[in-house]
Amino acid sequence: IMGNVGFAQDVTDIANMTAELDLVLQSIPYAVMILDADRHIVNFNDRFKKLFGIGATDYIVGESRDIFRQRAVDRLGFSRSGKHVKMRSATDGHEKYIDMYESEIYDIFDNVIGMICIYRDVTRQRQIERRLKQRANTDDLTGLFNRHYFFKSIPVTLPAGAGLAYIDLDNFKHVNDKY
């Protein structure tokens, strides 16, 4: 006797699952894109649309990630270095720094069925880090490098065997205080 082997799936709840997934996707505080196993765009949230300047008339579902990425390079100056992305803002043209996280999505049989890509805007953090670094290495009054920067840069700037001259000017405090 020969027979068929088949799988049955209850499809009555698929619409509810899609709605729940969309609700979760929209509530994530970062830009999120979901790809299928062939790396085509399946879904994304509103923050993703805003970050990449996707308009209401732009339809990118089903588009290859590589094609989308190339358009982002051309339009936004999107450049990737490891998990970090540098690009121009789609809204105001200012430079933005984005941390990117990509992870494959597996089914219950451990097969890759897609990928989730999360983009987190870290521009403000980078600006604060840059400002803190500048304040740690420069004098607030003059804007010149301070002693901390000087001692930190000596091993880097002086080649092996080089010397350093130190000059002490007598009574220079009076000139310094006056001017």
Side-chain angles (χ1 to χ4, degrees), residues 55-152:
T57 59
D58 297 330
Y59 190 77
I60 64 168
V61 172
E63 186 173 290
S64 164
R65 177 182 64 168
D66 294 336
I67 292 172
F68 177 79
R69 194 175 273 169
Q70 186 58 47
R71 280 204 340 254
V73 167
D74 296 342
R75 197 166 47 86
L76 302 171
F78 184 95
S79 64
R80 181 177 174 182
S81 172
K83 293 185 177 186
H84 306 288
V85 173
K86 189 168 135 181
M87 61 187 267
R88 286 186 308 277
S89 169
T91 53
D92 60 13
H94 290 100
E95 191 172 75
K96 286 191 161 288
Y97 293 94
I98 310 295
D99 276 353
M100 184 173 64
Y101 170 79
E102 293 180 341
S103 180
E104 292 183 328
I105 302 170
Y106 297 92
D107 65 9
I108 60 171
F109 302 108
D110 217 21
N111 298 315
V112 175
I113 59 169
M115 177 178 272
I116 184 167
C117 305
I118 301 172
Y119 302 88
R120 187 171 66 100
D121 186 352
V122 292
T123 305
R124 182 149 168 73
Q125 287 172 282
R126 294 279 174 93
Q127 290 169 343
I128 290 169
E129 287 172 8
R130 198 176 306 122
R131 220 174 303 137
L132 286 172
K133 194 175 198 176
Q134 180 184 6
R135 290 193 73 194
N137 292 319
T138 58
D139 179 69
D140 287 337
L141 182 62
T142 64
L144 299 172
F145 290 120
N146 60 18
R147 182 183 308 179
H148 174 264
Y149 179 82
F150 176 72
F151 286 118
K152 187 173 78 173

Side-chain angles (χ1 to χ4, degrees), residues 39-57:
R39 303 300 189 248
H40 290 93
I41 299 170
V42 176
N43 205 343
F44 49 89
N45 64 4
D46 289 338
R47 285 180 177 84
F48 182 83
K49 290 192 318 190
K50 183 178 179 186
L51 179 66
F52 287 97
I54 300 167
T57 59

Side-chain angles (χ1 to χ4, degrees), residues 5-21:
V5 176
F7 292 96
Q9 181 178 357
D10 182 8
V11 294
T12 57
D13 232 13
I14 289 180
N16 289 339
M17 289 174 24
T18 303
E20 290 171 359
L21 175 64

Side-chain angles (χ1 to χ4, degrees), residues 22-33:
D22 200 45
L23 183 66
V24 168
L25 195 60
Q26 294 303 331
S27 67
I28 296 174
Y30 306 117
V32 179
M33 171 177 62

